[in-house]
Amino acid sequence: MSTGSATPPSGTGPDQTPPAALAGDRRFFGHPLGLMTLFTTELWERFSYYGMRAILVYYLTDTIANGGLGLDQTLGEAVVSIYGTGVYLLSVVGGWLADRLIGARRSTLYGGIVIAAGHVCLSVPAAGFSYFGIVLVALGTGLLKPNVSSMVGALYDRQDPRRESAFSIFYMGINIGSFFSPIIVGAVRAVWGYHAAFSVAAIGMGIALVFFVLGRKNLQGAGDIVPNPVQPGERPALVRMFAIILGAVVVVYLLAVLVAGGWGVHALIDALSYIAFLAPIAFFITMYRSPRVTDAERPRLVAYIPLFVAAMLFFMIFEQAATTLATFAADRTSREVLGFTVSPEFFQSINPASIIILAPVFAWLWVRTKDRPPTPYKFAIGLALAALSFLVLAGASAIAGDNLTPGWVLAVVYVIQTLGELCLSPVGLAATTLLAPRAYQGQAMALWFLAPAAGQAITAQLVQATEGASDTAYFGGIGLVALGFAAVLALLGPWVTRHVRRADALEGVHTSGE
């Protein structure tokens, strides 16, 4: 959602030369009409995604008599968290497929079709269809997520001054969709039930596909080109690589089965968690040991590690909007507002609303301060604010005791997290592309996606390990640990800066990563 969940452009779009016709096209607020196509597509896709996510934990944990699946709360929250992990892991695959095999436009189209099919399955009142629908939505989002915004970049030359404002407009569409969807889907759920609400998400994705297909001519071929197609000589090596990856996944799953003592949902949660933890480690080791990485680039890579861990912990807290915070909204929060009772899904609209209001303020602030403080301190501030949000919730829960917590408390929690997101998320990808070795620039987006993947995997494990703990202990414990790491990162700030400067000195350049 917002800048945290929105996908900045991958390596696909910016490297393509847009058609000359797009340079003079100013029919959509001074931008090419193709931007309107992508704006509306992403608005409705995010509407469907966040509408489905807003009610998913309620559907999984509600009683069968009420139309739910009857999972216990802990398992339901773990499933939603690992679903988020799967989306980000599959986004790495989706980006690779677009870059090497099918292009961004077809990847987006195929992903949208799979997502729509998933929402339709969820609208069918049968547990088997529900689980299959969740898998389809994850697969489709993995195809669509990293590629639709790369097509925005493909509409502009690198030097086009409209480029930055184009992404501002595009991200506004994301936040409009994610603002309205929890409210509308929540209202439908309250009146007609879960499957009718999932149908609303399906309709949203259907509208997104209509805009995307009918607006293809406006894109002028943007996203059609496969930027780095697989060459015939590469195929044997790729087959070996995929065989190794598949074998590793099988081994990890079998290990998870042994740990869980069975083949059920718990084993799947553990397996995806292990993969999410191992993938970034493998990335860092591969990059550091690669002969294509220079001695000057290795210090930057080392400097990026604490930033990556901070991002992982930030998203571990931030993405609990759809799990523990959703449960807290339903069970522990007074939802009376001006004499009306709001749905628990309403609180998930606070983040995108806050982004719409606060993002211009932060953009102005970074300009006024000349982009200060340096990157590691922005990461530390963002993580500290996320930690503070959980500490506020822990304190409010302790004060409330067995009573309900006032609704404004949860609203404040979401606003604090948004402030943290605006400090950390916009600079996250920039830091990733800046500090990643040149030979791995095309995979920088994949590395960034692994932070929220691992963060949500931590949540999936935490909610199971802390089952039975009070809200005060759970949120307070996580908040204190995250705050402690934010303090460590702040202390490491000079160390990170020295490593970047050392790499700059070896290359005779000056970067903005300090």
Side-chain angles (χ1 to χ4, degrees):
M1 197 184 310
S2 63
T3 52
S5 302
T7 308
S10 73
T12 304
D15 295 327
Q16 298 178 14
T17 302
L22 289 173
D25 187 353
R26 298 179 177 274
R27 290 176 290 172
F28 183 63
F29 297 104
H31 290 267
L33 204 58
L35 181 61
M36 182 185 73
T37 296
L38 299 175
F39 171 91
T40 49
T41 298
E42 185 69 345
L43 186 157
W44 285 104
E45 186 276 329
R46 291 290 89 182
F47 176 94
S48 75
Y49 177 82
Y50 283 106
M52 174 262 201
R53 200 183 79 144
I55 64 172
L56 186 56
V57 73
Y58 302 140
Y59 174 59
L60 293 174
T61 58
D62 206 347
T63 63
I64 295 175
N66 286 337
L69 293 184
L71 301 184
D72 65 72
Q73 178 180 311
T74 297
L75 182 57
E77 291 174 349
V79 168
V80 176
S81 293
I82 214 63
Y83 159 77
T85 294
V87 166
Y88 281 99
L89 289 175
L90 290 166
S91 294
V92 175
V93 178
W96 187 91
L97 288 172
D99 283 346
R100 305 303 306 275
L101 292 178
I102 61 176
R105 187 192 63 80
R106 283 193 291 173
S107 182
T108 299
L109 176 62
Y110 300 158
I113 292 171
V114 174
I115 291 170
H119 288 311
V120 170
C121 287
L122 280 163
S123 68
V124 177
F129 276 97
S130 296
Y131 287 118
F132 185 54
I134 291 170
V135 171
L136 287 179
V137 173
L139 287 170
T141 305
L143 278 172
L144 185 147
K145 184 177 178 63
N147 296 308
V148 63
S149 52
S150 76
M151 294 173 65
V152 176
L155 297 174
Y156 303 88
D157 281 320
R158 284 181 178 274
Q159 293 77 27
D160 195 320
R162 301 175 297 169
R163 185 181 181 84
E164 185 174 338
S165 64
F167 278 100
S168 297
I169 294 171
F170 180 72
Y171 292 150
M172 188 62 68
I174 290 172
N175 286 292
I176 291 172
S178 49
F179 169 74
F180 284 107
S181 59
I183 298 173
I184 295 173
V185 171
V188 172
R189 176 191 69 84
V191 178
W192 290 291
Y194 292 105
H195 298 291
F198 288 128
S199 297
V200 173
I203 292 170
M205 193 62 240
I207 295 173
L209 283 170
V210 169
F211 274 108
F212 189 70
V213 172
L214 294 182
R216 180 183 177 183
K217 62 181 182 296
N218 298 326
L219 299 175
Q220 298 284 324
D224 285 346
I225 298 172
V226 180
N228 184 22
V230 173
Q231 303 301 319
E234 294 181 275
R235 290 171 185 168
L238 286 175
V239 170
R240 288 194 298 271
M241 181 186 73
F242 285 126
I244 292 171
I245 293 173
L246 180 60
V249 170
V250 171
V251 169
V252 169
Y253 180 66
L254 292 176
L255 176 62
V257 169
L258 289 175
V259 173
W263 299 86
V265 177
H266 289 283
L268 180 62
I269 292 171
D270 289 346
L272 285 173
S273 297
Y274 300 158
I275 293 171
F277 298 146
L278 292 172
I281 295 173
F283 251 83
F284 279 112
I285 292 175
T286 300
M287 286 190 286
Y288 192 84
R289 298 182 62 182
S290 173
R292 295 186 295 163
V293 176
T294 67
D295 291 337
E297 291 174 323
R298 288 191 176 91
R300 290 199 192 102
L301 186 59
V302 172
Y304 181 69
I305 292 174
L307 302 183
F308 180 88
V309 175
M312 179 179 68
L313 294 176
F314 172 84
F315 286 114
M316 180 264 293
I317 292 175
F318 182 79
E319 294 290 349
Q320 291 191 46
T323 55
T324 58
L325 294 186
T327 301
F328 193 93
D331 300 337
R332 296 293 315 280
T333 300
S334 173
R335 294 182 276 112
E336 295 291 330
V337 177
L338 300 177
F340 297 95
T341 301
V342 300
S343 70
E345 293 91 343
F346 165 82
F347 292 94
Q348 294 187 49
S349 292
I350 294 174
N351 170 257
S354 301
I355 286 289
I356 292 171
I357 296 169
L358 295 173
V361 176
F362 271 72
W364 172 84
L365 179 64
W366 299 141
V367 170
R368 291 284 295 178
T369 61
K370 297 182 179 180
D371 218 23
R372 295 289 177 178
T375 296
Y377 299 103
K378 287 178 182 173
F379 270 72
I381 293 169
L383 180 57
L385 286 167
L388 177 62
S389 73
F390 267 27
L391 293 175
V392 167
L393 194 57
S397 178
I399 293 171
D402 294 331
N403 298 317
L404 296 178
T405 302
W408 63 263
V409 172
L410 195 53
V412 167
V413 167
Y414 277 110
V415 172
I416 294 174
Q417 289 186 2
T418 302
L419 294 172
E421 179 189 7
L422 289 168
C423 289
L424 185 145
S425 236
V427 300
L429 181 63
T432 304
T433 54
L434 176 71
L435 301 179
R438 289 184 181 86
Y440 289 88
Q441 282 294 308
Q443 300 177 49
M445 175 64 77
L447 184 59
W448 179 245
F449 278 150
L450 292 177
Q456 292 182 84
I458 294 173
T459 298
Q461 297 301 315
L462 273 177
V463 294
Q464 296 177 93
T466 59
E467 185 175 11
S470 67
D471 291 326
T472 300
Y474 178 82
F475 293 116
I478 292 175
L480 287 173
V481 170
L483 188 62
F485 190 87
V488 171
L489 180 58
L491 294 175
L492 286 174
W495 178 85
V496 172
T497 302
R498 281 198 306 271
H499 274 67
V500 175
R501 286 177 177 169
R502 177 187 166 199
D504 288 353
L506 289 171
E507 291 186 337
V509 299
H510 176 75
T511 68
S512 59
E514 302 175 19

